[in-house]
Amino acid sequence: MQLIWPWQDRKHGFSWLKAIVFASMFVPGIALYYWYATGQFGRLPLAGLTYWSGVWATWIVLLALAVTPAMAIFRWNRLVMMRRMIGVTALVYTIVHLLIYFALRFWDASSIAYEMVTRLSLILATVSTLGLVALGATSLDEAVRRMGAESWQRLHNTVYFFSLLAIIHYLLSPGVYSSQYTMSGIFLWLMVWRVLNRRGQGTNPWSLAVLAVAAALFTAFFEAAWTWFYQEFDALETLANNFTLILGVSPAWQTLIYGFLIALAAAIRRTPRLKPA
């Protein structure tokens, strides 16, 4: 069996699309190294590295989940070549995140093991990581042949569950970060889109516009409810901040903008092109 390099298509030809995506997968790692080397993480650089490596890993997982909607909406089937690459990259950043966390805990195995079975956040992170490792180990074509397409697909559909665990792990962080709720809204969008697509509405601009509004409302109310429950913030004040631009672009507004841009792209893609006489 001849090895296919990350910048090659299945016919072993050079693919600009795969090469560009492959190169872009190094950007978060380069950024993390630059921030670490220039002292931008302050007095506790490993804490900053732990946080941001986890954030990047979760974003890349969501990016992998976004490949299928992008293929359908933009009618660009070649994107399927990117899904495995992005998924494996998410696994790599997850493992790096885990190793940095171990270093932050001075590689104290007993302390780390105790935390992983007593802290809910780390229990979810452990399950999510083990799940992603299993998916990564079975991502090769040989695994599809051995398991059969149907069994392989059932296994890899669990990525939705493991992605949800990763987001909940992030939500259980002691700090408050807007990206927690932006990720939650985008994850909801990705899951509901799959329901719409099974009903033949996955590329309908009006359905996508309604989904954008629904995801934005979910983001706003979820942030208000979660910060009230977990951080004891004032729920009404948080909700009001989500519907104003005074304090910047809130997670709800971000989710709405992303959703409307996708709906607009779907509308443009559906517009009939005039043919020359």
Side-chain angles (χ1 to χ4, degrees), residues 117-227:
V117 297
T118 56
R119 287 180 55 188
L120 177 59
S121 173
L122 294 186
I123 292 172
L124 298 180
T126 302
V127 174
S128 178
T129 301
L130 292 175
L132 291 177
V133 168
L135 297 180
T138 57
S139 64
L140 299 176
D141 292 341
E142 183 62 27
V144 181
R145 285 191 289 269
R146 288 185 178 183
M147 297 176 61
E150 188 174 343
S151 298
W152 184 89
Q153 189 61 58
R154 279 200 302 269
L155 173 64
H156 279 252
N157 282 342
T158 59
V159 68
Y160 309 133
F161 173 68
F162 297 130
S163 302
L164 176 61
L165 293 186
I167 292 174
I168 297 175
H169 165 68
Y170 186 24
L171 287 166
L172 290 172
S173 300
V176 180
Y177 310 101
S178 63
S179 55
Q180 293 170 309
Y181 308 104
T182 306
M183 285 184 184
S184 300
I186 291 175
F187 180 76
L188 176 83
W189 188 99
L190 290 168
M191 295 301 99
V192 175
W193 178 86
R194 283 164 167 79
V195 176
L196 289 176
N197 195 50
R198 284 198 293 269
R199 298 182 177 182
Q201 297 295 312
T203 60
N204 185 290
W206 292 108
S207 297
L208 293 174
V210 171
L211 176 56
V213 173
L217 290 173
F218 165 82
T219 305
F221 282 93
F222 177 70
E223 181 181 359
W226 184 262
T227 53

Side-chain angles (χ1 to χ4, degrees), residues 54-73:
V55 169
W56 277 114
T58 310
W59 274 123
I60 296 172
V61 168
L62 293 179
L63 181 62
L65 296 181
V67 170
T68 299
M71 287 169 53
I73 294 169

Side-chain angles (χ1 to χ4, degrees), residues 246-268:
I246 296 176
L247 301 178
V249 183
S250 70
W253 278 109
Q254 292 177 35
T255 305
L256 183 67
I257 291 170
Y258 296 149
F260 273 164
L261 287 175
I262 293 170
L264 178 61
I268 294 173

Side-chain angles (χ1 to χ4, degrees), residues 26-138:
F26 289 93
V27 172
I30 294 171
L32 288 173
Y33 176 78
Y34 174 77
W35 295 337
Y36 176 79
T38 55
Q40 296 188 42
F41 290 134
R43 295 183 178 180
L44 297 173
L46 286 181
L49 277 173
T50 302
Y51 169 77
W52 280 107
S53 60
V55 169
W56 277 114
T58 310
W59 274 123
I60 296 172
V61 168
L62 293 179
L63 181 62
L65 296 181
V67 170
T68 299
M71 287 169 53
I73 294 169
F74 299 110
R75 303 177 192 176
W76 196 5
N77 291 332
R78 290 187 63 195
L79 288 176
V80 72
M81 298 188 299
M82 307 300 105
R83 187 162 50 195
R84 180 184 302 177
M85 181 191 299
I86 297 171
V88 171
T89 302
L91 173 60
V92 170
Y93 278 98
T94 299
I95 293 174
V96 169
H97 170 65
L98 188 65
L99 293 175
I100 296 172
Y101 169 76
F102 288 169
L104 180 65
R105 292 292 186 263
F106 303 103
W107 301 94
D108 187 339
S110 60
S111 175
I112 293 170
Y114 177 77
E115 284 191 322
M116 285 187 166
V117 297
T118 56
R119 287 180 55 188
L120 177 59
S121 173
L122 294 186
I123 292 172
L124 298 180
T126 302
V127 174
S128 178
T129 301
L130 292 175
L132 291 177
V133 168
L135 297 180
T138 57

